[in-house]
Every structure is written in C-alpha cells, then in structure tokens.
Amino acid sequence: MAHALAAVPEGECCFEHAQRMAELMGANASAHSLLRELNPSDWFNSGVLVLDLDRWRGGGITHELERLAAATELFYPDQLALNLMFGEQYDHLDWRWNVHGMGGPGEYRYPQRCVDRAWLYHWSGGRKPWRGSPLGTHPNDRLFQPYLPRRPCAARTSGAPRKAEDAIDACAE
C-alpha cells in the first residue's frame, strides 16, 4: 500500500447523496462547510477499509480524525472525517469490494450485473437481516439467505424461521 488507507472510490454520485442527506437531516453549518472542502471525485465510502496500521499509528491519524468527527457533530462522523483527512491520498480498491446500500430502501438497488459481480455486500442502511428484519420483505434478502445455517436445528424442524437471528440463535452450539 502507498497510503495508510485503502477504500472504494464512489465519485460524484455518492458525494451528492451525502450532500442531500446533510440537507435532509438538518446537518449543522460546520458539516456543510466541511463538505464544501471535499472534491466529489475523491469521495469514498468508509464501510469497507483496508488500513496500514504502521502508517496509521505513525501519522497521528486517530487524533485528527477525532477532531474532525467532533466538528461534524455526528453527521456521518466517520465517513466525512475520513474523507476530509485523506482526500485523494488513499489507495483505491476495486468497486466489487464494497457494494453497499444493501440494507437501504428497496428502491435503492444496484443493476443485477453489479450485484452478480460483487465480492463483498455491505449492508449499509438501517435494515440488517441478522438483526431481526423479517426475511423475504426486501429485494436484497435473497443475497443473505444462502448464509443462514444449513444443518438441521430447532429452527428448521419447528418451521421456517421468521428472522435470520432466530435461525442463527437456534443453531448455535
């Protein structure tokens, strides 16, 4: 790695999404001001990162990130702070390492060809199938279904589990 951090670049589309979210969530003036300092083409999602810990520790990065996160008053604190900190100075990962938004609204969907080619699904958004969201109610549930326990267990013999966490808990050893 050439930098302390590697991430999937998102470009202008997702940067504009962050700006719209700031407006909708009533983000404070400092968050809006900080967003204006960023180059939209350098924006990355902080959900999947690779860190060079020697560079990270040697560069005093944690202290600066804490300062930046405090300045945003919890508006996407990690994502905005990381983007401000690194700007364009990060290693770019292939997009397939962070196909995110899988837990977002049902209308927020990637083209099927992108889903089929993904290496890692990032369940960003409020809906997490392993945290009690009923399976079968979201377009992306089919992607999580294959990872439920496959061996016979109480959840399987007493009827289909209603929630992913029920199946996992019932099959835990």
Side-chain angles (χ1 to χ4, degrees):
M1 286 177 56
H3 301 95
L5 180 141
V8 174
E10 292 192 319
E12 296 187 25
C13 173
C14 292
F15 180 79
E16 289 171 12
H17 169 73
Q19 289 178 312
R20 283 194 306 277
M21 289 301 293
E23 293 167 9
L24 291 172
M25 294 171 69
N28 61 46
S30 64
H32 282 289
S33 173
L34 292 170
L35 276 166
R36 283 194 292 277
E37 293 178 26
L38 289 169
N39 179 350
S41 63
D42 296 329
W43 185 261
F44 60 87
N45 179 276
S46 62
V48 176
L49 303 172
V50 176
L51 304 176
D52 179 330
L53 294 177
D54 289 333
R55 282 194 174 121
W56 187 280
R57 292 176 183 131
I61 293 171
T62 300
H63 178 72
E64 180 63 12
L65 284 173
E66 289 171 344
R67 185 189 70 75
L68 289 168
T72 66
E73 292 183 23
L74 301 179
F75 170 74
Y76 287 155
D78 62 323
Q79 181 143 325
L80 182 52
L82 285 162
N83 275 277
L84 286 164
M85 177 83 185
F86 289 95
E88 62 185 32
Q89 302 300 311
Y90 68 95
D91 294 348
H92 293 199
L93 297 175
D94 186 292
W95 66 268
R96 292 172 284 191
W97 283 112
N98 188 2
V99 176
H100 67 90
M102 301 317 246
E107 65 273 6
Y108 183 72
R109 299 204 316 214
Y110 282 89
Q112 188 60 45
R113 70 183 182 284
C114 294
V115 172
D116 292 344
R117 294 177 59 204
W119 292 333
L120 192 144
Y121 299 127
H122 173 184
W123 253 265
S124 58
R127 189 178 185 291
K128 315 286 189 211
W130 58 90
R131 285 196 191 152
S133 300
L135 291 173
T137 60
H138 190 278
N140 293 326
D141 284 349
R142 65 184 173 72
L143 301 171
F144 185 76
Q145 193 76 32
Y147 301 100
L148 290 172
R150 295 185 180 179
R151 64 181 177 81
C153 63
R156 298 278 184 205
T157 58
S158 64
R162 295 189 55 120
K163 300 176 186 173
E165 68 184 4
D166 293 341
I168 293 168
D169 290 344
C171 293
E173 294 187 346

